[in-house]
Amino acid sequence: MNNNVSHGYSEQPSLSTVGSLLGASPAMQEVFRLIERVGPTEANVLLTGESGSGKELAAQSIHECSPRRARPFVAINCGAIPAGLIEAELFGYEKGSFTGAVRAHAGVFERAQGGTLLLDEVTEMPLDMQTRLLRVLETRKYYRVGASTEYTSDVRVIAATNRCPLQAVQNGRFREDLLYRLAVFPVRMPPLRSRGDDVELLAEHFLAELNAQARSQKRLSALARMTLKQHPWPGNVRELSNCIERAFILGDTVLDLAPLIQGAVVRDGDSASDRERLDIRVGSRIHDMERSLIEATLDYFKGNKRRAADALGCSLKTLYNKLNGYSQSQECANS
């Protein structure tokens, strides 16, 4: 069952834990319930949710609740690997199988043998690789690149994506049969903005950990607590954790968050600044609207691509690909 993590605030609920996840809100209690149900099984799990919402921690928690907990937990980001290398990363390769293969290499399926494999950003995987992955999931057999020896896979697969998987199927980016193979048991991770008091509870938890490491007694200011409640946290728990750490480094005794967050506090009756708005004319081309939104978001986060990608709900690789495409289009237009 869940363990409680108390921070000395009797008027607030205590954080509960399942594996590596923390939360007190009803939305997270439902996630905990699902993890405790599916953990002891062998069912493939598909985790969905925004970037930074805790999908990898959820995967680790499922692993820790399973009979495979003593075996490896291995994670791979399918969106961060070049298309030409993903097969070698998944299944490994033999020495000399391609230029640069100076020694044999075990892929993640081999390294996770007996344990759990997380395929993060699985909807970013190239379609031809999705076909090969589907076959491995169906047969539990695979070959290293350049090898003739067949390997048997004993791996529990968990997949994760920040996209809507059904929309990815409709757009032709993801195989429908692979989706149904992976989504035997779907779990949706709630965004931090829908988790109520979890925001302040998690902030206190992160601050307590930093205080313990530094042997200090720093605390949040009243304004910081207001900021916690009013900021939408587009980067979710990851953004919150990073913000608390930055405030901890910069603060002496009492920590303030507002200077660290763009447009953090919008009070009742106030309007957001022009930098938080984007006007789109009806009838605009989808491509142009997408480009305008991406460029405006980058401007809002002062060029920080990782924060922009988190806010847009896409992978960092996808954002880079979009920007490279815009740059190439501009070069063609100028030539």
Side-chain angles (χ1 to χ4, degrees), residues 106 232 266 268-269:
V266 180
D268 293 340

Side-chain angles (χ1 to χ4, degrees), residues 12-285:
Q12 292 182 321
S14 298
L15 284 173
S16 299
T17 67
V18 167
S20 305
L21 282 174
L22 297 168
S25 63
M28 285 305 294
Q29 294 304 310
E30 175 63 11
V31 169
F32 293 165
R33 186 184 72 82
L34 294 175
I35 287 175
E36 289 175 332
R37 284 282 187 173
V38 76
T41 75
E42 286 293 301
N44 292 337
V45 179
L46 177 63
L47 299 165
T48 59
E50 297 175 5
S51 294
S53 58
K55 295 187 293 296
E56 183 165 349
L57 289 179
Q60 291 175 344
S61 299
I62 293 169
H63 174 70
E64 291 164 15
C65 290
S66 77
R68 295 175 177 266
R69 66 179 67 90
R71 303 295 295 166
F73 172 84
V74 179
I76 184 172
N77 188 322
C78 301
I81 303 171
L85 296 178
I86 191 165
E87 181 180 10
E89 286 299 318
L90 286 175
F91 307 126
Y93 55 83
E94 294 296 332
K95 178 180 179 181
S97 57
F98 54 85
T99 303
V102 296
R103 63 178 65 87
H105 173 74
V108 291
F109 269 90
E110 191 173 343
R111 300 203 300 270
Q113 184 73 356
T116 303
L117 173 62
L118 170 62
L119 300 175
D120 199 6
E121 294 191 23
V122 69
T123 51
E124 306 301 311
M125 185 181 290
L127 282 169
D128 62 334
M129 200 64 242
Q130 293 177 29
T131 303
R132 299 180 194 180
L133 173 61
L134 179 62
R135 179 165 179 78
V136 174
L137 294 177
E138 289 175 341
T139 67
R140 294 190 172 271
K141 304 288 184 181
Y142 66 93
Y143 292 89
R144 281 184 175 185
V145 176
S148 57
T149 302
E150 188 176 57
Y151 287 77
T152 299
S153 169
D154 175 21
V155 169
R156 198 249 187 99
V157 173
I158 300 175
T161 179
N162 57 19
R163 293 183 180 273
C164 170
L166 289 176
Q167 186 174 3
V169 169
Q170 293 169 1
N171 293 341
R173 299 175 57 94
F174 201 65
R175 291 182 59 114
E176 186 175 21
D177 47 3
L178 178 57
L179 172 60
Y180 291 127
R181 174 66 67 170
L182 292 172
V184 174
F185 196 90
V187 177
R188 171 75 180 175
M189 298 300 296
L192 184 56
R193 61 183 173 275
S194 70
R195 292 175 54 180
D197 290 339
D198 278 5
V199 178
E200 190 169 352
L201 289 168
L202 286 169
E204 290 287 358
H205 173 76
F206 297 142
L207 179 56
E209 289 187 327
L210 293 168
N211 273 326
Q213 293 169 11
R215 297 182 179 179
S216 60
Q217 294 183 336
K218 297 182 182 182
R219 57 187 176 84
L220 295 170
S221 68
L223 179 59
R225 296 184 185 280
M226 181 186 301
T227 302
L228 286 171
K229 295 176 181 178
Q230 296 187 347
H231 183 56
W233 300 107
N236 293 294
V237 180
R238 185 187 298 126
E239 181 188 2
L240 174 63
S241 175
N242 291 343
C243 185
I244 294 298
E245 186 169 3
R246 290 198 303 274
F248 185 87
I249 293 170
L250 294 172
D252 294 323
T253 303
V254 180
L255 309 186
D256 195 8
L257 304 181
L260 305 178
I261 301 174
Q262 292 283 346
V265 180
V266 180
R267 296 179 178 83
D268 293 340
D270 289 350
S271 61
S273 69
D274 290 341
R275 293 182 68 246
E276 296 174 23
R277 295 181 182 274
L278 180 64
D279 293 326
I280 299 293
R281 178 179 298 176
V282 174
S284 299
R285 295 170 59 200

